[in-house]
Amino acid sequence: PIDSKNMYYCTDGFGSIPLNMATTNEIKIEQDVWISPSSGVKYVGTKTSPQWSVQTNGRKFGKFDHVIIAHNGKCADRLMSKTPAKDLHSLLKVDFRP
């Protein structure tokens, strides 16, 4: 069951979601920014008020209710390894053995 207040879907392919979001003034997009897996994303919220702190090289981006990780593999696994979002983290675990 979907219990989220926000649900996004598209009829023109998945790429139309970020394109639409980029055309609004409500979202600030940062491109080509490396966020360290060890100290760049930290869970700073509570169970009733989840928040994530994001920073890189001393530059603080702020605190957010949601974080989208647009990466996969080992880096995404490391980014999420120390968060309380265990169900999400289990989806990112990788195994490169044959």
Side-chain angles (χ1 to χ4, degrees):
I2 297 173
D3 59 2
S4 174
K5 293 179 184 176
N6 299 317
M7 188 168 97
Y8 301 97
Y9 64 94
C10 48
T11 56
D12 296 324
F14 187 75
S16 63
I17 291 176
L19 287 174
N20 185 297
M21 294 171 92
T23 60
T24 70
N25 292 328
E26 298 174 21
I27 296 176
K28 180 180 176 189
I29 296 176
E30 297 278 348
Q31 292 181 288
D32 300 324
V33 177
W34 170 252
I35 305 296
S36 167
S38 61
S39 62
V41 177
K42 290 186 179 180
Y43 185 78
V44 295
T46 64
K47 212 172 197 180
T48 57
S49 180
Q51 280 208 320
W52 303 86
S53 171
V54 179
Q55 65 183 23
T56 185
N57 296 327
R59 179 179 171 203
K60 294 184 179 187
F61 289 92
K63 293 180 181 176
F64 305 92
D65 297 333
H66 300 86
V67 175
I68 298 171
I69 299 176
H71 202 289
N72 60 9
K74 290 188 282 185
C75 291
D77 180 50
R78 282 191 306 237
L79 276 169
M80 297 303 294
S81 65
K82 293 187 171 64
T83 71
K86 299 302 178 197
D87 290 341
L88 174 62
H89 180 237
S90 68
L91 298 173
L92 301 172
K93 291 188 178 186
V94 294
D95 186 357
F96 293 104
R97 293 178 291 173

